[in-house]
Amino acid sequence: MSNRLNHRLHLSRRSPATTRLVVTALAALALYPAALEGQAERIDSPFRWRERGFRIGLFGGYHAGNRGGLEFAQGPTSVTSAKMRVRASSPLSLELGATYGAADRWTLDVLAEGGPAIVDTVAAGWLRADAGAQIGLTGARTWNGIHPYGLIGGGFVFGIDEGASEALADQALEPFRYDISTAPHIYVGFGFEIFPSEKIGIGFEIRDYLVRVTAPEGYLFSTTLDLFEASGATAPESTVWGHNPEFGITIWYYF
């Protein structure tokens, strides 16, 4: 009888410790999934989702204007622009923009005996309207804080603030006057954007604008073409598409 009583007393003395062990094990099992979840959240990824998609921006840069084979078109100039982009899908944003350039152009005397000669420089300001698309190379996510993208679009260039040369003041020389008029263009480009804050982005871009340049009517007269041939100068084409690289920086504000 005494041995049985001692055995029961021994079990009763170990019971609290056993209970604590069981409770501790159950608590650990309950907390294990949460610990795994916290560990998963701490896994670093170079990609971050951008919640905001609508933005407006101010651009400043340099337009390496292509004067053309005869160098009578508008030349290089600094440019300023206002832009708007809105996200249409994860990789795609649509863009509208208006850009101004206070360029100049060279006035040519194409009737000179020695061939076309530059006789004056006049203002050739222009306004460009763009409509295009931005394609995010990482979708709507940044990669290590950078958002790389491609660009494609088109539009028109309008001549404004164009000057007139006294060298072509004679009314008979009217057909030899060049004006930008309304010239179509297409463009492709590449850029990347960084984000100092959630609402501010800084974009760095380079684009190539393929702009149509139309030669003045007088350049295509048969007598004028004969002069070009006699002087050894290259005869002009009625319309030419020229490459116009442009690069600069855009400050974006996200809504």
Side-chain angles (χ1 to χ4, degrees):
M1 177 66 71
S2 176
N3 290 337
R4 292 181 181 178
L5 180 61
N6 289 337
H7 181 66
R8 289 177 182 176
L9 290 173
H10 179 69
L11 289 178
S12 64
R13 284 197 297 268
R14 295 185 59 182
S15 181
T18 304
T19 302
R20 285 195 298 270
L21 180 61
V22 172
V23 170
T24 302
L26 291 175
L29 289 175
L31 294 175
Y32 185 67
L36 288 178
E37 183 178 353
Q39 185 179 6
E41 290 178 353
R42 289 194 297 271
I43 295 176
D44 291 332
S45 171
F47 297 96
R48 294 290 185 272
W49 178 264
R50 289 286 302 172
E51 294 293 342
R52 301 176 187 271
F54 177 71
R55 61 271 203 198
I56 59 174
L58 294 177
F59 170 86
Y62 181 78
H63 181 87
N66 184 348
R67 298 184 187 272
L70 287 176
E71 300 188 324
F72 59 78
Q74 56 272 23
T77 179
S78 59
V79 290
T80 56
S81 175
K83 301 178 181 180
M84 178 186 72
R85 283 181 186 163
V86 58
R87 184 186 299 162
S89 66
S90 175
L92 178 66
S93 290
L94 304 179
E95 175 185 290
L96 293 176
T99 304
Y100 173 74
D104 62 20
R105 60 180 176 83
W106 295 335
T107 300
L108 300 185
D109 180 1
V110 296
L111 302 179
E113 292 184 1
I118 299 172
V119 295
D120 200 359
T121 301
V122 297
W126 49 262
L127 180 67
R128 187 181 69 220
D130 292 334
Q134 174 204 44
I135 300 103
L137 302 184
T138 55
R141 295 173 172 82
T142 60
W143 175 77
N144 289 317
I146 300 173
H147 185 230
Y149 53 84
L151 296 160
I152 188 170
F156 295 92
V157 177
F158 307 92
I160 59 174
D161 299 332
E162 293 189 80
S165 173
E166 293 184 0
L168 298 179
D170 190 334
Q171 190 65 28
L173 297 177
E174 177 69 27
F176 297 93
R177 296 174 185 167
Y178 168 76
D179 63 84
I180 301 171
S181 187
T182 301
H185 72 266
I186 57 176
Y187 68 85
V188 294
F190 173 79
F192 67 92
E193 192 173 348
I194 60 176
F195 304 92
S197 71
E198 185 65 23
K199 289 189 174 183
I200 300 297
I202 302 177
F204 302 84
E205 291 183 359
I206 181 168
R207 306 186 185 199
D208 183 14
Y209 283 88
L210 196 62
V211 182
R212 191 184 75 181
V213 174
T214 302
E217 182 183 5
Y219 284 36
L220 305 176
F221 290 166
S222 59
T223 52
T224 307
L225 294 175
D226 290 341
L227 290 174
F228 277 111
E229 183 178 0
S231 65
T234 302
E237 300 180 43
S238 58
T239 58
V240 176
W241 291 84
H243 294 277
N244 296 262
E246 182 177 292
F247 56 90
I249 299 174
T250 306
I251 306 298
W252 294 101
Y253 182 82
Y254 284 76
F255 291 87

